[in-house]
Amino acid sequence: MGSHVWTQQCPYCGFEEMYVSSYDGVYFDINCPICGYSRWTEEKVPAPHEVKLAKSILSEMDVEAKQNAIDRYFEDNLPFIARLKD
């Protein structure tokens, strides 16, 4: 029993630090702070144009920009790609 957290590559945008959490080995919470892919009780898949944009932007982001995107995601739960819309 307990929880475990690790990072994994996002199956949509390819971001290497998508967060995966396991609770009691039964429930999984998956969140990509870049494209917005998530899964808990429902799966939220980003639109194809959002995935394409996220991949393009990721290829140009440096480590510091990626970390900033992760930090901001955990502050307000808004993926990087959603911030670009605003």
Side-chain angles (χ1 to χ4, degrees):
M1 295 240 169
S3 65
H4 301 281
V5 179
W6 65 94
T7 60
Q8 189 168 305
Q9 186 173 19
C10 177
Y12 291 92
C13 71
F15 184 56
E16 307 87 18
E17 296 184 45
M18 176 181 75
Y19 285 88
V20 181
S21 303
S22 171
Y23 302 97
D24 295 332
V26 177
Y27 301 104
F28 287 90
D29 185 15
I30 301 170
N31 297 291
C32 179
I34 301 298
C35 73
Y37 170 68
S38 65
R39 190 171 126 204
W40 176 244
T41 56
E42 272 185 49
E43 186 172 39
K44 180 184 171 210
V45 177
H49 69 278
E50 291 176 341
V51 172
K52 186 176 178 180
L53 181 60
K55 285 180 179 181
S56 173
I57 291 170
L58 271 173
S59 68
E60 298 174 9
M61 291 175 84
D62 62 9
V63 173
E64 186 177 328
K66 289 178 183 179
Q67 186 60 50
N68 186 34
I70 291 169
D71 294 343
R72 291 192 65 195
Y73 176 77
F74 284 109
E75 287 174 8
D76 59 10
N77 205 29
L78 189 63
F80 180 76
I81 203 73
R83 280 190 219 313
L84 294 178
K85 293 178 184 179
D86 294 338

